[in-house]
Amino acid sequence: MSDEVLVEESGNVAILTINRPKSRNAINGAVARGMAEALDALDARPDISAYVLTGASGTFSAGMDLKGFLTGDMPVVEGRGFGGITEAPPKKPLVAAVEGYALAGGFELALSCDVIVASSEAKFGLPEPKRGLVAGAGGIMRLPRRIPYHVAMEIALTGDHYPAARLYELGLVNRITEPGAALEGALELAKKIAANAPLALMATKKVVIESQDWPLDEMFKKQAAIVNPVFGSKDAMEGAAAFAEKRAPQWKGE
């Protein structure tokens, strides 16, 4: 993997760290490519069930590297989008661990995650209009689906910074930690998630995301195509057997 994206494993959870601390983990082409390569490799591994995404040295990400942007270094990967993630997030559950700033593209990366754990000192915002830009990596599409419309509009149009506590009140941030403890909190939550059956987790995530746009008369048919294979899996049999035998299940991802 690249120096710009560090990958560490803790049991069946992989921690991906944006590693450009001198640039407040601003996203450049190298980060985007490194993230896409890491997720492609990890999504294919049955022994990894969930991810944590964080930034090095106390900052999640200040967004797109504007200096790189001026030189034509675009932080986009074909098919995956900004940061190698916003257009095609991984199939497995992804938990954001946010310290410091999650601004612009950094906030959009957090919005690409399934769960957000943030330090009490973390700040979020979409300041693109202040730079003549637009939050086009999913921010202005995802945010109104997660929080009330008028609040999303305020955040998107003012470009101001908003504290983690406010976004926790709105239900966007799942958990608040002490400063410096976001990664620990996110890893704890990711391991709780990863204790469940891998195929069931991926199917659940897929249905939750995709069903938002399903017509009412097709919902259960579309869901069946995703979940029925899970009911016929070896892991489903293992889960039932483990329950009957009062023991912990041994998942195979099969």
Side-chain angles (χ1 to χ4, degrees):
M1 299 305 171
S2 69
D3 293 336
E4 289 80 7
V5 177
L6 306 179
V7 179
E8 178 186 357
E9 296 177 21
S10 180
N12 60 346
V13 174
I15 304 167
L16 296 96
T17 303
I18 304 166
N19 186 40
R20 300 190 71 220
K22 292 182 180 179
S23 302
R24 292 198 303 172
N25 298 319
I27 310 300
N28 63 1
V31 170
R33 292 186 295 273
M35 190 67 66
E37 290 170 6
L39 290 174
D40 282 343
L42 291 166
D43 261 354
R45 288 179 50 183
D47 60 321
I48 297 295
S49 296
Y51 310 122
V52 171
L53 176 63
T54 193
S57 300
T59 294
F60 187 72
S61 174
M64 180 171 67
D65 186 333
L66 293 178
K67 293 180 180 178
F69 172 72
L70 290 173
T71 64
D73 179 23
M74 299 301 293
V76 175
V77 173
E78 182 71 27
R80 276 204 177 268
F82 176 81
I85 190 174
T86 58
E87 289 183 26
K91 297 175 183 177
K92 300 171 185 178
L94 177 60
V95 181
V98 180
E99 296 278 357
Y101 293 107
L103 302 176
F107 192 5
E108 292 177 297
L109 290 181
L111 287 168
S112 299
C113 296
D114 305 300
V115 180
I116 300 176
V117 175
S119 155
S120 60
E121 295 182 346
K123 297 287 194 300
F124 298 78
L126 295 173
E128 281 88 345
K130 294 179 182 289
R131 300 291 180 264
L133 301 171
V134 176
I140 53 179
M141 293 187 289
R142 287 190 168 111
L143 194 60
R145 296 186 175 204
R146 312 285 174 79
I147 64 175
Y149 171 88
H150 290 102
V151 183
M153 273 295 195
E154 178 188 333
I155 293 172
L157 296 175
T158 64
D160 289 344
H161 298 176
Y162 292 80
R166 175 60 174 147
L167 297 183
Y168 177 78
E169 291 173 356
L170 294 166
L172 186 70
V173 170
N174 297 77
R175 296 184 182 182
I176 299 284
T177 72
E178 294 295 322
L183 178 56
E184 179 184 352
L187 185 58
E188 177 185 350
L189 186 51
K191 286 188 174 183
K192 185 177 182 68
I193 292 169
N196 296 317
L199 297 179
L201 289 174
M202 288 189 286
T204 297
K205 173 174 175 172
K206 186 176 178 67
V207 171
V208 169
I209 292 172
E210 295 185 5
S211 64
Q212 297 179 60
D213 300 317
W214 289 347
L216 287 175
D217 60 346
E218 297 181 18
M219 290 181 70
F220 281 92
K221 180 180 179 181
K222 289 181 175 292
Q223 177 181 258
I226 297 169
V227 306
N228 283 357
V230 176
F231 281 88
S233 69
K234 293 180 181 178
D235 276 353
M237 298 300 103
E238 167 63 11
F243 176 80
E245 296 166 13
K246 298 182 180 180
R247 60 173 175 80
Q250 301 297 313
W251 309 122
K252 301 295 184 183
E254 300 175 355

